[in-house]
Amino acid sequence: MEPAIRPATGADVRHTLELWRESDAEPTHTDDEGSLSQLIAHDPASLLLADYEGRVVGSVIAAWDGWRGSIYRLVVAPELRRQGLGCRLLIAAESRLREAGAERCQAIVVETDAQAVGFWGASGWERQMERLRYVKG
């Protein structure tokens, strides 16, 4: 049986944060219950989870701002990697963003994470070399 992909609910917040910690996803200061709850309240379809028998084993944030789609936090539990779940999550995120109206999407990827860079390099997405990213907060 394959994990089901579904939108997150408030009850999933703690389990999602646990997945990120256990999967060594690069932490940010918004990795907390309040921030994730706010995301779900603002846009309930933006956080998609892979659920296997009641356990959160994958996640992806597919955010739509009305102009561009953004993909963040594509995370798969270590023991389930390289089995196609990351691809399924990416396809679900792309579908969600297309349905919302996004014609252009971007993905935020940790450049020092060799597994992530390898995944995105094989995904059919184009790496933009001529752009820098600046953040605040």
Side-chain angles (χ1 to χ4, degrees), residues 28-74:
T28 69
H29 70 280
T30 55
D31 288 2
D32 59 55
E33 289 188 26
S35 297
L36 211 48
S37 295
Q38 182 178 1
L39 172 68
I40 294 168
H42 171 74
D43 185 358
S46 62
L47 176 58
L48 300 173
L49 300 178
D51 183 307
Y52 185 71
E53 298 180 351
R55 178 176 168 234
V56 174
V57 295
S59 73
V60 64
I61 296 173
W64 168 241
D65 65 9
W67 178 63
R68 178 175 292 164
S70 297
I71 296 179
Y72 311 89
R73 291 298 194 197
L74 178 53

Side-chain angles (χ1 to χ4, degrees), residues 7-137:
T9 68
D12 296 310
V13 169
R14 188 170 303 138
H15 302 292
T16 302
L17 292 169
E18 288 172 10
L19 168 71
W20 293 351
R21 279 190 297 274
E22 293 168 1
S23 300
D24 292 325
E26 183 175 286
T28 69
H29 70 280
T30 55
D31 288 2
D32 59 55
E33 289 188 26
S35 297
L36 211 48
S37 295
Q38 182 178 1
L39 172 68
I40 294 168
H42 171 74
D43 185 358
S46 62
L47 176 58
L48 300 173
L49 300 178
D51 183 307
Y52 185 71
E53 298 180 351
R55 178 176 168 234
V56 174
V57 295
S59 73
V60 64
I61 296 173
W64 168 241
D65 65 9
W67 178 63
R68 178 175 292 164
S70 297
I71 296 179
Y72 311 89
R73 291 298 194 197
L74 178 53
V75 176
V76 173
E79 70 275 12
L80 295 176
R81 291 180 183 159
R82 306 202 55 82
Q83 297 178 33
L85 184 54
C87 291
R88 289 183 55 222
L89 284 162
L90 179 56
I91 290 167
E94 290 173 330
S95 176
R96 178 271 198 270
L97 292 169
R98 259 191 319 277
E99 289 170 9
E103 292 186 28
R104 182 173 179 157
C105 294
Q106 62 186 357
I108 307 301
V109 181
V110 178
E111 188 173 22
T112 58
D113 184 336
Q115 282 187 310
V117 172
F119 172 86
W120 285 96
S123 72
W125 282 54
E126 177 184 342
R127 182 174 180 175
Q128 260 191 340
M129 301 301 285
E130 65 279 357
R131 300 280 192 266
L132 294 175
R133 180 174 178 236
Y134 294 88
V135 299
K136 186 175 184 178

